[in-house]
Amino acid sequence: SRLTGRISYDIERSLALNMSNTQVTELNSKSININFGFVKSELRLPFKVEGRSITLENDLTFNLGATFKDTKTVQRKLDEESTVTNGNINFQFRPTVDYNINEKLNAQLYFARTVNDPRVTNSFKRTTTEFGVQIRFNLAQ
């Protein structure tokens, strides 16, 4: 079996100064990305067909991706309090399973869950879920 992994932490900050109304706009973004995967050769399936165990001949690839991202926009005025005007907390979870049936045909099971929680009261929390099967046929030689 082959194992892969990656963890990253990203920070981004930008400032904009507006001289006409003496305010500073600050955009902050922090994110953590975690990706793990492994490849399993000759996987034995946990069920039998006609009394025989089935072993997959080709590689089966498992991948798991998760992302947590926090963004916010803050308006800072010279004589007033700072206010958060925009931003959200975003979480994504994406596992997949790939199997190469042969050189030209690939099947993938996928699932994706995204949760968006806004930082301001005039927006709503959003959650989306996707799942399914993808079949890819490669026409190249």
Side-chain angles (χ1 to χ4, degrees), residues 10 17 25 30 37 39 41 44 47 49 59-61 67 70 78 103 106 110-111 117 119 125:
D10 301 322
L17 174 63
T25 303
K30 297 177 185 176
V39 178
S41 299
R44 187 177 199 177
F47 53 86
V49 175
D59 291 345
L60 190 66
T61 305
T67 302
D70 183 8
L78 188 62
E103 291 178 2
N106 176 287
Y110 67 92
F111 177 82
D117 193 10
R119 288 188 164 272
K125 183 176 181 178

mmCIF file of all heavy atoms in Angstrom, residues 10 17 25 30 37 39 41 44 47 49 59-61 67 70 78 103 106 110-111 117 119 125:
data_model
loop_
_atom_site.group_PDB
_atom_site.id
_atom_site.type_symbol
_atom_site.label_atom_id
_atom_site.label_comp_id
_atom_site.label_asym_id
_atom_site.label_seq_id
_atom_site.Cartn_x
_atom_site.Cartn_y
_atom_site.Cartn_z
ATOM 1 N N ASP A 10 -2.763 28.340 5.876
ATOM 2 C CA ASP A 10 -2.580 29.550 5.075
ATOM 3 C C ASP A 10 -3.186 30.746 5.790
ATOM 4 O O ASP A 10 -4.290 30.654 6.331
ATOM 5 C CB ASP A 10 -3.245 29.401 3.707
ATOM 6 C CG ASP A 10 -2.706 28.227 2.914
ATOM 7 O OD1 ASP A 10 -1.495 27.996 2.983
ATOM 8 O OD2 ASP A 10 -3.501 27.550 2.232
ATOM 9 N N LEU A 17 -6.730 51.636 2.537
ATOM 10 C CA LEU A 17 -6.944 52.918 3.203
ATOM 11 C C LEU A 17 -7.762 53.817 2.293
ATOM 12 O O LEU A 17 -7.420 54.032 1.133
ATOM 13 C CB LEU A 17 -5.590 53.578 3.516
ATOM 14 C CG LEU A 17 -5.627 54.987 4.093
ATOM 15 C CD1 LEU A 17 -6.319 54.983 5.453
ATOM 16 C CD2 LEU A 17 -4.212 55.531 4.205
ATOM 17 N N THR A 25 -10.120 49.320 5.530
ATOM 18 C CA THR A 25 -10.812 48.051 5.332
ATOM 19 C C THR A 25 -9.777 46.936 5.428
ATOM 20 O O THR A 25 -8.780 46.948 4.707
ATOM 21 C CB THR A 25 -11.503 48.010 3.965
ATOM 22 O OG1 THR A 25 -12.399 49.116 3.874
ATOM 23 C CG2 THR A 25 -12.265 46.723 3.773
ATOM 24 N N LYS A 30 -7.910 32.831 7.120
ATOM 25 C CA LYS A 30 -7.087 31.751 7.662
ATOM 26 C C LYS A 30 -7.711 30.436 7.231
ATOM 27 O O LYS A 30 -8.928 30.272 7.308
ATOM 28 C CB LYS A 30 -7.041 31.813 9.186
ATOM 29 C CG LYS A 30 -6.403 33.062 9.722
ATOM 30 C CD LYS A 30 -6.463 33.088 11.232
ATOM 31 C CE LYS A 30 -5.910 34.417 11.737
ATOM 32 N NZ LYS A 30 -6.034 34.546 13.188
ATOM 33 N N GLY A 37 -4.442 10.139 1.697
ATOM 34 C CA GLY A 37 -4.862 9.136 0.733
ATOM 35 C C GLY A 37 -3.984 7.915 0.808
ATOM 36 O O GLY A 37 -2.858 7.958 1.319
ATOM 37 N N VAL A 39 -3.329 3.940 -1.457
ATOM 38 C CA VAL A 39 -3.644 3.052 -2.566
ATOM 39 C C VAL A 39 -3.518 1.626 -2.062
ATOM 40 O O VAL A 39 -2.520 1.256 -1.454
ATOM 41 C CB VAL A 39 -2.685 3.287 -3.756
ATOM 42 C CG1 VAL A 39 -2.986 2.323 -4.889
ATOM 43 C CG2 VAL A 39 -2.785 4.722 -4.236
ATOM 44 N N SER A 41 -3.600 -2.352 -3.189
ATOM 45 C CA SER A 41 -3.534 -3.303 -4.290
ATOM 46 C C SER A 41 -4.184 -4.614 -3.865
ATOM 47 O O SER A 41 -4.095 -5.018 -2.703
ATOM 48 C CB SER A 41 -2.091 -3.573 -4.689
ATOM 49 O OG SER A 41 -1.467 -2.390 -5.110
ATOM 50 N N ARG A 44 -9.397 -7.482 -1.146
ATOM 51 C CA ARG A 44 -10.339 -8.597 -1.040
ATOM 52 C C ARG A 44 -11.663 -8.037 -0.520
ATOM 53 O O ARG A 44 -11.716 -7.417 0.539
ATOM 54 C CB ARG A 44 -9.783 -9.627 -0.079
ATOM 55 C CG ARG A 44 -10.567 -10.864 -0.023
ATOM 56 C CD ARG A 44 -9.875 -11.832 0.891
ATOM 57 N NE ARG A 44 -10.357 -13.162 0.608
ATOM 58 C CZ ARG A 44 -9.918 -14.222 1.192
ATOM 59 N NH1 ARG A 44 -8.965 -14.147 2.081
ATOM 60 N NH2 ARG A 44 -10.423 -15.390 0.904
ATOM 61 N N PHE A 47 -17.504 -9.783 0.823
ATOM 62 C CA PHE A 47 -18.628 -10.672 0.524
ATOM 63 C C PHE A 47 -18.203 -11.680 -0.533
ATOM 64 O O PHE A 47 -17.174 -11.527 -1.187
ATOM 65 C CB PHE A 47 -19.864 -9.884 0.080
ATOM 66 C CG PHE A 47 -19.607 -8.930 -1.050
ATOM 67 C CD1 PHE A 47 -19.673 -9.344 -2.357
ATOM 68 C CD2 PHE A 47 -19.291 -7.599 -0.793
ATOM 69 C CE1 PHE A 47 -19.434 -8.469 -3.394
ATOM 70 C CE2 PHE A 47 -19.054 -6.714 -1.826
ATOM 71 C CZ PHE A 47 -19.131 -7.149 -3.132
ATOM 72 N N VAL A 49 -19.340 -14.244 -3.913
ATOM 73 C CA VAL A 49 -20.240 -14.460 -5.035
ATOM 74 C C VAL A 49 -20.091 -15.917 -5.451
ATOM 75 O O VAL A 49 -18.978 -16.374 -5.744
ATOM 76 C CB VAL A 49 -19.910 -13.506 -6.210
ATOM 77 C CG1 VAL A 49 -20.767 -13.828 -7.422
ATOM 78 C CG2 VAL A 49 -20.081 -12.060 -5.787
ATOM 79 N N ASP A 59 -5.552 -1.337 -8.683
ATOM 80 C CA ASP A 59 -5.412 -0.504 -7.489
ATOM 81 C C ASP A 59 -6.723 0.200 -7.146
ATOM 82 O O ASP A 59 -7.430 0.694 -8.019
ATOM 83 C CB ASP A 59 -4.332 0.559 -7.699
ATOM 84 C CG ASP A 59 -2.939 -0.041 -7.768
ATOM 85 O OD1 ASP A 59 -2.775 -1.205 -7.372
ATOM 86 O OD2 ASP A 59 -2.023 0.666 -8.210
ATOM 87 N N LEU A 60 -7.006 0.282 -5.850
ATOM 88 C CA LEU A 60 -8.133 1.031 -5.321
ATOM 89 C C LEU A 60 -7.544 2.197 -4.537
ATOM 90 O O LEU A 60 -6.717 2.001 -3.648
ATOM 91 C CB LEU A 60 -8.982 0.136 -4.418
ATOM 92 C CG LEU A 60 -10.315 0.682 -3.967
ATOM 93 C CD1 LEU A 60 -11.257 0.837 -5.167
ATOM 94 C CD2 LEU A 60 -10.943 -0.249 -2.946
ATOM 95 N N THR A 61 -7.954 3.428 -4.874
ATOM 96 C CA THR A 61 -7.379 4.635 -4.269
ATOM 97 C C THR A 61 -8.408 5.306 -3.384
ATOM 98 O O THR A 61 -9.515 5.603 -3.837
ATOM 99 C CB THR A 61 -6.925 5.618 -5.361
ATOM 100 O OG1 THR A 61 -6.031 4.948 -6.254
ATOM 101 C CG2 THR A 61 -6.225 6.818 -4.764
ATOM 102 N N THR A 67 -11.246 20.883 4.685
ATOM 103 C CA THR A 67 -10.789 22.272 4.700
ATOM 104 C C THR A 67 -11.630 23.056 5.699
ATOM 105 O O THR A 67 -12.855 22.937 5.711
ATOM 106 C CB THR A 67 -10.941 22.912 3.303
ATOM 107 O OG1 THR A 67 -10.203 22.160 2.364
ATOM 108 C CG2 THR A 67 -10.454 24.343 3.300
ATOM 109 N N ASP A 70 -11.700 30.484 7.571
ATOM 110 C CA ASP A 70 -12.339 31.574 8.303
ATOM 111 C C ASP A 70 -11.954 32.885 7.620
ATOM 112 O O ASP A 70 -10.778 33.237 7.563
ATOM 113 C CB ASP A 70 -11.858 31.555 9.752
ATOM 114 C CG ASP A 70 -12.516 32.614 10.613
ATOM 115 O OD1 ASP A 70 -13.453 33.261 10.148
ATOM 116 O OD2 ASP A 70 -12.071 32.779 11.759
ATOM 117 N N LEU A 78 -11.810 56.040 12.080
ATOM 118 C CA LEU A 78 -10.912 56.765 12.975
ATOM 119 C C LEU A 78 -11.534 57.044 14.344
ATOM 120 O O LEU A 78 -10.919 56.796 15.362
ATOM 121 C CB LEU A 78 -10.484 58.082 12.309
ATOM 122 C CG LEU A 78 -9.405 58.864 13.012
ATOM 123 C CD1 LEU A 78 -8.125 58.057 13.090
ATOM 124 C CD2 LEU A 78 -9.157 60.176 12.306
ATOM 125 N N GLU A 103 -7.300 -0.029 -18.458
ATOM 126 C CA GLU A 103 -6.495 1.120 -18.883
ATOM 127 C C GLU A 103 -7.340 2.315 -19.307
ATOM 128 O O GLU A 103 -6.924 3.456 -19.181
ATOM 129 C CB GLU A 103 -5.589 0.723 -20.051
ATOM 130 C CG GLU A 103 -4.482 -0.219 -19.685
ATOM 131 C CD GLU A 103 -3.650 -0.603 -20.894
ATOM 132 O OE1 GLU A 103 -3.931 -0.097 -22.007
ATOM 133 O OE2 GLU A 103 -2.736 -1.400 -20.723
ATOM 134 N N ASN A 106 -12.394 4.168 -15.720
ATOM 135 C CA ASN A 106 -12.186 4.490 -14.309
ATOM 136 C C ASN A 106 -13.537 4.776 -13.661
ATOM 137 O O ASN A 106 -14.381 5.436 -14.258
ATOM 138 C CB ASN A 106 -11.265 5.715 -14.188
ATOM 139 C CG ASN A 106 -11.071 6.167 -12.767
ATOM 140 O OD1 ASN A 106 -11.963 6.739 -12.164
ATOM 141 N ND2 ASN A 106 -9.894 5.915 -12.229
ATOM 142 N N TYR A 110 -17.895 9.410 -4.891
ATOM 143 C CA TYR A 110 -17.503 10.650 -4.237
ATOM 144 C C TYR A 110 -18.604 11.144 -3.307
ATOM 145 O O TYR A 110 -19.781 10.801 -3.456
ATOM 146 C CB TYR A 110 -17.142 11.733 -5.260
ATOM 147 C CG TYR A 110 -18.298 12.209 -6.094
ATOM 148 C CD1 TYR A 110 -19.064 13.301 -5.703
ATOM 149 C CD2 TYR A 110 -18.635 11.572 -7.279
ATOM 150 C CE1 TYR A 110 -20.130 13.744 -6.467
ATOM 151 C CE2 TYR A 110 -19.697 12.005 -8.047
ATOM 152 C CZ TYR A 110 -20.435 13.083 -7.635
ATOM 153 O OH TYR A 110 -21.494 13.517 -8.379
ATOM 154 N N PHE A 111 -18.186 11.950 -2.340
ATOM 155 C CA PHE A 111 -19.078 12.591 -1.394
ATOM 156 C C PHE A 111 -18.462 13.941 -1.066
ATOM 157 O O PHE A 111 -17.241 14.042 -0.899
ATOM 158 C CB PHE A 111 -19.209 11.744 -0.121
ATOM 159 C CG PHE A 111 -20.065 12.378 0.938
ATOM 160 C CD1 PHE A 111 -21.444 12.278 0.890
ATOM 161 C CD2 PHE A 111 -19.495 13.079 1.988
ATOM 162 C CE1 PHE A 111 -22.238 12.856 1.855
ATOM 163 C CE2 PHE A 111 -20.276 13.666 2.961
ATOM 164 C CZ PHE A 111 -21.651 13.548 2.906
ATOM 165 N N ASP A 117 -21.080 29.189 7.334
ATOM 166 C CA ASP A 117 -21.719 29.887 8.451
ATOM 167 C C ASP A 117 -21.286 31.354 8.405
ATOM 168 O O ASP A 117 -20.125 31.667 8.661
ATOM 169 C CB ASP A 117 -21.296 29.237 9.767
ATOM 170 C CG ASP A 117 -22.143 29.673 10.934
ATOM 171 O OD1 ASP A 117 -23.172 30.335 10.708
ATOM 172 O OD2 ASP A 117 -21.780 29.348 12.076
ATOM 173 N N ARG A 119 -20.677 35.393 9.186
ATOM 174 C CA ARG A 119 -20.316 36.182 10.369
ATOM 175 C C ARG A 119 -21.258 37.366 10.589
ATOM 176 O O ARG A 119 -21.219 37.984 11.629
ATOM 177 C CB ARG A 119 -18.900 36.709 10.232
ATOM 178 C CG ARG A 119 -17.854 35.646 10.371
ATOM 179 C CD ARG A 119 -16.499 36.320 10.417
ATOM 180 N NE ARG A 119 -15.498 35.432 10.896
ATOM 181 C CZ ARG A 119 -15.188 35.264 12.171
ATOM 182 N NH1 ARG A 119 -15.824 35.908 13.089
ATOM 183 N NH2 ARG A 119 -14.233 34.425 12.520
ATOM 184 N N LYS A 125 -27.091 30.645 7.054
ATOM 185 C CA LYS A 125 -26.205 29.487 7.021
ATOM 186 C C LYS A 125 -26.610 28.600 5.843
ATOM 187 O O LYS A 125 -27.801 28.378 5.609
ATOM 188 C CB LYS A 125 -26.324 28.716 8.335
ATOM 189 C CG LYS A 125 -25.393 27.545 8.442
ATOM 190 C CD LYS A 125 -25.502 26.903 9.818
ATOM 191 C CE LYS A 125 -24.537 25.748 9.915
ATOM 192 N NZ LYS A 125 -24.575 25.140 11.250
#
